[in-house]
Amino acid sequence: MRTTARRAGEAVKKAAQKASRMQTPPDREQAGPPPDSAKAARRRRLLASNLTELAIEFRTDKWGVHKYTPHYERHLQHLRQDSFTLLELGIGGYKKRRRSGASMKMWRWFFPKATIVGLDIEDKTWLTRGHIHTYLGDQTDPAILHRIIEEQGAPLVVIDDGSHIPAHVRESFRILFPLLPDGAIYCIEDTQTSYWPAWGGELEPRAAGTSMDLVKDLIDGLNHEEFLLEDYQPTYTDQWVRAVHCYHNLVIIEKGDNREGTNRDHAAHTFHGSSDLPDA
């Protein structure tokens, strides 16, 4: 009888120990939120972040090396909850996966409803996921640029962060700008290469053929209706560049109807001021 009772007691003790091992200690239950909750908290944090905070989060040089993000936020904030296509020329990181696509990830969280498209001369297809789509190709190749628009729609925002070679910058703008919708915003980064011969720029700040030379032409074109040149024919950009915003190494161009009309014929040929004209 004693043996039977002892065995029964040992069986009860083992069962209790097993049950205890199967239970999660209270301190473990309170150690932290479950993975799904942490993921949701991160998502809320990123969606509430401003563009500079997102640039820091994803380690893009649009803040830090450069100071682009406050300017971008000023000009693009109104699109934050809209559905549209953003095209970035140049994905960055070269062949290093960890450094690739930082700005695309930043844009993806700043514009949660947008389609983010990247074009790079290096293969970055591993970044294609969800709202992010990548293409392999040259930023001056009309075929790949037209293909992107056919497949993803005409972009409302273009970011040229590609080679920064002035000839490439000018050619990409020449191809893409006429294809953009009214209200589109075209951004050119790192315009300092206009002054760097090693990058295809020129030492002379007013030299023709640079990225900034293009920008200066666009600024003149804003006032094309005031020109007194006989037989002048307005260019496409004269008529469809509505505004040009210039910052340190960054230019933001707004597309829109720039045919406002003029009082040129009434006012241009007779000086109406009360001050004397300066000597010629």
Side-chain angles (χ1 to χ4, degrees):
M1 294 291 293
R2 290 179 180 177
T3 301
T4 303
R6 185 169 61 251
R7 289 176 177 174
E10 290 175 352
V12 171
K13 183 178 180 180
K14 289 179 179 180
Q17 291 174 343
K18 183 177 181 181
S20 178
R21 286 195 299 269
M22 295 176 65
Q23 293 178 352
T24 303
D27 59 335
R28 289 187 183 179
E29 290 180 354
Q30 299 173 7
D36 287 348
S37 177
K39 185 176 180 180
R42 179 176 183 269
R43 177 179 175 81
R44 288 193 297 271
R45 176 176 63 81
L46 293 177
L47 290 174
S49 296
N50 64 38
L51 196 59
T52 299
E53 291 167 340
L54 291 172
I56 295 169
E57 174 84 17
F58 295 108
R59 300 183 180 181
T60 168
D61 67 357
K62 286 177 171 48
W63 175 258
V65 175
H66 304 293
K67 300 294 187 290
Y68 297 158
T69 49
H71 305 310
Y72 277 134
E73 188 147 15
R74 183 180 304 114
H75 291 281
L76 301 177
Q77 175 69 34
H78 66 288
L79 299 173
R80 188 153 193 186
Q81 297 304 320
D82 290 358
S83 297
F84 65 95
T85 297
L86 180 150
L87 170 61
E88 183 155 28
L89 305 177
I91 295 175
Y94 301 97
K95 295 183 179 180
K96 298 179 180 179
R97 293 197 176 207
R98 289 185 178 181
R99 298 183 184 179
S100 292
S103 61
M104 295 188 72
K105 296 169 188 174
M106 176 192 73
W107 295 126
R108 179 256 182 274
W109 285 100
F110 191 69
F111 299 118
K113 298 178 182 179
T115 298
I116 310 301
V117 181
L119 173 66
D120 202 281
I121 200 166
E122 300 283 352
D123 183 10
K124 304 292 175 63
T125 52
W126 65 80
L127 291 167
T128 296
R129 181 180 180 185
H131 292 272
I132 293 177
H133 304 268
T134 62
Y135 287 79
L136 174 63
D138 188 314
Q139 72 175 88
T140 64
D141 180 4
I144 188 64
L145 295 175
H146 281 89
R147 178 186 161 203
I148 289 172
I149 291 176
E150 289 172 3
E151 295 180 0
Q152 305 296 340
L156 190 60
V157 177
V158 175
I159 312 289
D160 186 347
D161 190 15
S163 72
H164 308 308
I165 295 172
H168 295 176
V169 171
R170 295 173 67 101
E171 183 65 5
S172 296
F173 181 81
R174 185 190 70 80
I175 297 168
L176 282 171
F177 192 77
L179 305 176
L180 305 183
D182 189 25
I185 299 173
Y186 195 105
C187 311
I188 303 173
E189 295 187 1
D190 295 356
T191 53
Q192 70 271 25
T193 59
S194 292
Y195 317 109
W196 296 351
W199 289 72
E202 300 287 345
L203 290 176
E204 169 54 53
R206 295 175 178 81
T210 67
S211 302
M212 286 305 299
D213 178 52
L214 165 67
V215 173
K216 293 167 189 175
D217 282 345
L218 297 180
I219 293 173
D220 276 334
L222 291 171
N223 299 312
H224 73 275
E225 291 180 314
E226 316 308 330
F227 296 171
L228 297 177
L229 300 173
E230 292 185 10
D231 301 322
Y232 180 80
Q233 296 298 315
T235 66
Y236 182 86
T237 53
D238 286 345
Q239 299 175 80
W240 292 102
V241 169
R242 182 169 55 196
V244 180
H245 308 270
C246 298
Y247 304 97
H248 185 204
N249 298 338
L250 174 68
V251 175
I252 297 176
I253 302 160
E254 296 182 28
K255 184 170 184 178
D257 194 338
N258 186 44
R259 298 168 295 182
E260 296 182 0
T262 176
N263 68 342
R264 176 189 60 194
D265 294 340
H266 169 71
H269 300 285
T270 303
F271 180 64
H272 298 285
S274 59
S275 300
D276 292 333
L277 287 172
D279 295 333

